[in-house]
């Protein structure tokens, strides 16, 4: 992902040219009056408050610089695909709270994002869908401090609105002829789905594996599979395009979502401000409304 930076240009007002007229004889009295008038004009100019010219007050410039919002800058956030709707909303709210801020969002599987970051991709903040993928970035020394877990998510069975295969439980996913989609195992939604199937004692041969939770859910929405195991927040975000089948707590599995500012950020104060915003009451409200639960 590229970045665009605006050049900051300052214009200094030039001094007016010294327009000298033809020399004329002046009497001593006229010369005295002229000198007095000139002194008064110079004194008035010295006391004037010209904030746009070359005589701008250094103190005023320093004060303006000191009060500038450090979060009012460009910021790149790498976030798990399952955070697409909530982080888009939070980015809009963050920009509204910090005029001049420009949050660029990159959504993908957490495992893919972690690999990009450790390979040198420029980013300011990383929000992962699992502690294990965040650990890859932390172990590389690329996170500021200890990542903060901000929400938790659980699995749900997603089926087309008319549920053609009659799915009612995890056990139904193992029935012959049922086409099931799962995330790839190294992706958090895939690892969490396998944990839920293991708890339920169900073995599933997936018809297809997706790179992230959104690609898997899309297969359900298009009717290309009978069911998929995805996060419950993604089923809620799908609206009437998919139907959710709840999984009993005894069989379900969940994953924590950590967030951290990155050490290579060119805007560390802005990165910290965004992390704090996600952890704030506003962030909690947006995430909870979307179906995320608070971490234990």
């Amino acid at each position: 992902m590229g970045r665009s930076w605006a050049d900051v240009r300052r214009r200094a007002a030039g001094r007016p040219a010294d327009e000298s007229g033809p020399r004329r004889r002046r009497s001593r009295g006229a010369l005295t009056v002229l000198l007095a008038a000139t002194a008064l004009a110079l004194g008035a100019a010295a006391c004037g408050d010209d904030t746009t010219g070359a005589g701008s007050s250094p103190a005023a410039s320093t004060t303006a610089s000191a009060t500038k919002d450090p979060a009012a800058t460009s910021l790149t956030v790498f976030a798990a695909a399952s955070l697409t709707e909530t982080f888009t909303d939070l980015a809009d709210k963050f920009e509204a709270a910090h005029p001049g801020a420009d949050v660029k969002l990159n959504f993908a599987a957490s495992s893919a994002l972690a690999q990009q970051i450790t390979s040198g991709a420029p980013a300011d903040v990383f929000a992962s869908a699992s502690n294990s993928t965040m650990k890859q970035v932390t172990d590389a020394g690329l996170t500021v401090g200890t990542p903060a877990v901000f929400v938790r998510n659980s699995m749900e069975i997603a089926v087309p609105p008319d549920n053609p295969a009659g799915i009612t439980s995890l056990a139904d996913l193992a029935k012959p002829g049922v086409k099931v989609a799962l995330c790839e195992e190294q992706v958090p939604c895939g690892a969490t789905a396998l944990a839920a199937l293991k708890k339920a004692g169900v073995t599933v041969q997936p018809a297809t594996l997706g790179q992230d939770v959104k690609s898997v859910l899309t297969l359900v929405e298009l009717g290309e599979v009978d069911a998929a195991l995805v996060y419950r927040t993604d089923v809620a975000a799908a609206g009437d395009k998919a139907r959710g089948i709840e999984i009993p707590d005894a069989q379900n599995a969940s994953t924590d979502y950590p967030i951290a500012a990155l050490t290579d950020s060119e805007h560390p104060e802005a990165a910290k401000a965004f992390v704090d915003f996600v952890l704030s009451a506003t962030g909690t409200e947006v995430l909870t409304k979307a179906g995320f639960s608070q971490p234990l």
Side-chain angles (χ1 to χ4, degrees):
M1 294 176 50
R3 300 181 183 210
S4 59
W5 307 100
D7 292 331
V8 180
R9 302 176 178 173
R10 297 179 178 175
R11 179 179 300 169
R15 295 179 178 273
D18 183 12
E19 299 177 353
S20 301
R23 294 184 179 181
R24 299 178 182 176
R25 289 179 178 270
R26 292 185 173 89
S27 66
R28 182 181 299 274
L31 180 59
T32 301
V33 172
L34 175 62
L35 291 175
T38 302
L40 288 173
L42 291 174
C47 296
D49 184 17
D50 182 5
T51 58
T52 60
S56 299
S57 169
S61 298
T62 301
T63 301
S65 176
T67 57
K68 184 179 184 300
D69 185 352
T73 186
S74 180
L75 195 65
T76 300
V77 177
F78 281 22
S82 51
L83 294 169
T84 299
E85 293 79 15
T86 51
F87 265 45
T88 298
D89 187 10
L90 287 174
D92 289 342
K93 286 179 167 56
F94 182 82
E95 291 174 347
H98 302 277
D102 179 21
V103 182
K104 296 177 173 60
L105 299 166
N106 178 27
F107 297 109
S110 297
S111 53
L113 294 174
Q115 184 176 6
Q116 291 175 29
I117 293 170
T118 55
S119 296
D124 300 291
V125 175
F126 178 37
S128 172
S130 75
N131 286 316
S132 60
T133 50
M134 177 63 79
K135 187 175 184 297
Q136 297 174 33
V137 179
T138 300
D139 287 349
L142 297 177
T143 59
V144 177
T146 302
V149 174
F150 61 103
V151 286
R152 170 170 286 200
N153 213 348
S154 300
M155 305 307 292
E156 189 164 296
I157 303 171
V159 298
D162 57 350
N163 193 10
I167 305 296
T168 61
S169 66
L170 287 175
D172 291 336
L173 302 182
K175 291 180 177 180
V178 175
K179 297 174 64 176
V180 179
L182 299 177
C183 291
E184 295 175 347
E185 186 174 353
Q186 72 271 19
V187 179
C189 68
T192 310
L194 291 178
L197 291 170
K198 183 177 180 180
K199 288 177 69 173
V202 176
T203 300
V204 172
Q205 296 297 325
T208 184
L209 296 173
Q211 295 181 344
D212 58 54
V213 68
K214 293 300 185 185
S215 64
V216 169
L217 185 60
T218 297
L219 296 175
V220 173
E221 295 173 347
L222 295 175
E224 295 183 9
V225 295
D226 298 312
L229 273 178
V230 299
Y231 298 123
R232 63 182 182 181
T233 56
D234 290 289
V235 177
D240 59 5
K241 296 179 181 178
R243 175 181 168 188
I245 307 296
E246 292 188 6
I247 302 172
D249 291 340
Q251 297 180 347
N252 210 342
S254 60
T255 182
D256 288 336
Y257 285 60
I259 187 172
L262 300 176
T263 57
D264 288 344
S265 170
E266 295 184 2
H267 306 285
E269 291 182 282
K272 181 181 183 302
F274 187 83
V275 171
D276 290 343
F277 189 74
V278 171
L279 298 174
S280 71
T282 298
T284 299
E285 180 182 3
V286 169
L287 291 158
T288 301
K289 185 177 179 180
F292 289 94
S293 59
Q294 289 302 295
L296 300 178

